[in-house]
Amino acid sequence: MIRELTSSPFFGIVLSVALYLLGQKLHRKWPIPIFTPLVFAIVMTIVLLLLMDISYETYFIGGQYINIWVTPATVALAIKLKKNIEHLRANVVAILSGIGIGVVFHTLLIVALSLIFQFNEELAATLFPKSVTTAIALGVSESLGGIASLTVAVVVFTGVLGAVVGPSIFKWLKITDPVAQGVAMGSGSHAMGTTKAIEMGEVQGAMSGLSIVLTGIAVVILAPFGLFLIQLLF
């Protein structure tokens, strides 16, 4: 009976939606990081699958129908950007330079870590796209010879971490400008960070959505140079 239930496409859908809604309810009552809806849903899904001995493949029979909406949802962020286009026009130089410098620093950081910890080229290629959305990250990782499955894992971890700690970092560093907050969330923790940015405000969500695209383009351009630099230094 349980096997028949879990093998149904509705199992993955109902489980994902129910845990997310439960996370929302808990977060409204106790606004602590672990109850951030996205984080709570991911952690509890993993826990339940392990306790019930259900394979990821079984869960994904239904989960895939939620997954296919990730790309359309990301594209739909352009609606928010259109509504807040004046913020882009007023801060275009700061946004482009900030994202560009951030991606350059991130690329050099991966190169430095590869040299310090003796990462091989395959592992370095896996890590270069960790701060961009999954669709772009997989393309970059595979083209550079990285490990696709591990890339997905580090992308998810980076996104969850940024969504959880981002607002606290803003408070600690006294970063109150909504454009700066949105750009930081989108460029540092892609779609998951954007989910949190939307909760923070309309402007944050719009700038975060824009940053996903710009960061993805910058990583596609710079990641091959980072791998080439590693090849030269090793």
Side-chain angles (χ1 to χ4, degrees):
M1 180 66 178
I2 295 179
R3 291 300 174 188
E4 292 178 359
L5 177 64
T6 56
S7 62
S8 168
F10 293 105
F11 171 74
I13 298 173
V14 172
L15 179 64
S16 301
V17 174
L19 289 174
Y20 186 87
L21 293 176
L22 177 59
Q24 280 188 321
K25 187 174 182 179
L26 293 172
H27 193 258
R28 280 195 293 267
K29 190 170 184 179
W30 298 292
I32 58 177
I34 189 60
F35 289 145
T36 301
L38 193 60
V39 177
F40 180 80
I42 291 173
V43 172
M44 290 307 300
T45 297
I46 294 172
V47 170
L48 289 176
L49 293 182
L50 291 173
L51 290 176
M52 298 172 68
D53 193 26
I54 300 171
S55 68
Y56 174 76
E57 289 73 22
T58 300
Y59 160 78
F60 200 62
I61 293 174
Q64 63 181 321
Y65 296 109
I66 296 177
N67 189 64
I68 61 175
W69 292 104
V70 172
T71 300
T74 303
V75 174
L77 292 171
I79 298 173
K80 287 186 175 293
L81 179 60
K82 184 179 179 180
K83 293 179 179 178
N84 294 274
I85 194 68
E86 68 276 5
H87 294 285
L88 172 59
R89 290 171 179 159
N91 299 278
V92 62
V93 175
I95 292 172
L96 293 178
S97 60
I99 291 175
I101 292 171
V103 174
V104 169
F105 178 79
H106 170 267
T107 302
L108 294 176
L109 179 62
I110 298 299
V111 171
L113 291 174
S114 299
L115 295 174
I116 293 171
F117 296 104
Q118 295 295 298
F119 293 161
N120 57 30
E121 293 178 19
E122 184 181 42
L123 187 54
T126 300
L127 295 176
F128 275 124
K130 68 178 180 62
S131 292
V132 298
T133 191
T134 306
I136 299 175
L138 282 175
V140 173
S141 178
E142 290 172 352
S143 67
L144 296 179
I147 306 169
S149 58
L150 185 55
T151 295
V152 172
V154 295
V155 165
V156 171
F157 176 79
T158 301
V160 170
L161 182 64
V164 171
V165 305
S168 298
I169 292 176
F170 295 149
K171 290 180 181 178
W172 180 48
L173 296 178
K174 294 181 171 46
I175 299 173
T176 57
D177 184 79
V179 174
Q181 290 177 341
V183 171
M185 295 297 284
S187 60
S189 48
H190 48 83
M192 294 184 185
T194 300
T195 301
K196 187 63 180 178
I198 292 173
E199 293 179 11
M200 295 169 65
E202 184 81 13
V203 176
Q204 288 92 330
M207 295 300 103
S208 187
L210 171 67
S211 298
I212 291 177
V213 178
L214 296 178
T215 302
I217 294 172
V219 168
V220 169
I221 295 172
L222 289 174
F225 289 100
L227 189 62
F228 177 69
L229 186 58
I230 289 174
Q231 293 170 342
L232 286 178
L233 296 175
F234 263 100

